[in-house]
Amino acid sequence: KWTRRGPDVRVEAAPNMKVFPKLPHTGDTNFIFVAATNHGAQPTTVTHLAGVYYPSLWHKFTRRKGQHFVVFNNALGTPFPHVLPPGERWTGAIDQDDATKKYGSSGRFYCGVFHSHSKKAVYRRVRLK
């Protein structure tokens, strides 16, 4: 039991979100809303909001031609680094219109977070339209 007592970060990602009421710096921009929740027993620190795009499922399985990115300025959420205690939730946003321009609406797009208790990011798939 003691081997599983660490943090357990789970990520949710919701595309096509708009800010209401409109803020001057957001306008009519669509965002991908990313939320990370710690379901574990120990706190962790959210260090980065990140994403990866693969042109096809084959590229994802072979881990080739993945285009990774990191969001440095989390304007709509809590700034980095952020301590995430057990049972708490962290939120952030990625500009969906910019991501659609760069990567298109086909392929496989994932958003997630890096945290201090894992070397790998925790990702969730987002379907861009």
Side-chain angles (χ1 to χ4, degrees):
K1 188 174 180 180
W2 58 271
T3 59
R4 293 174 283 157
R5 283 197 315 210
D8 177 21
V9 177
R10 298 180 193 171
V11 172
E12 300 168 10
N16 303 319
M17 303 297 258
K18 292 188 184 251
V19 176
F20 182 80
K22 292 180 189 175
L23 298 175
H25 65 280
T26 61
D28 279 337
T29 307
N30 287 326
F31 290 96
I32 300 169
F33 178 76
V34 180
T37 308
N38 185 359
H39 290 272
Q42 291 181 347
T44 188
T45 303
V46 175
T47 58
H48 299 86
L49 174 59
V52 62
Y53 168 77
Y54 295 102
S56 68
L57 184 60
W58 176 253
H59 288 97
K60 181 182 179 338
F61 282 137
T62 59
R63 296 184 182 173
R64 300 179 109 185
K65 294 190 180 182
Q67 298 176 6
H68 299 266
F69 65 90
V70 175
V71 177
F72 285 109
N73 184 12
N74 186 19
L76 297 178
T78 312
F80 300 114
H82 178 74
V83 176
L84 191 61
E88 294 294 318
R89 183 178 177 116
W90 174 89
T91 59
I94 297 173
D95 187 345
Q96 180 178 341
D97 296 336
D98 189 36
T100 305
K101 276 188 234 174
K102 288 181 183 174
Y103 306 118
S105 60
S106 64
R108 299 179 80 81
F109 191 77
Y110 296 86
C111 297
V113 296
F114 282 92
H115 63 95
S116 62
H117 282 78
S118 177
K119 293 179 182 178
K120 296 181 180 179
V122 181
Y123 286 120
R124 178 68 60 194
R125 182 171 181 208
V126 177
R127 297 177 198 272
L128 297 178
K129 294 182 182 184

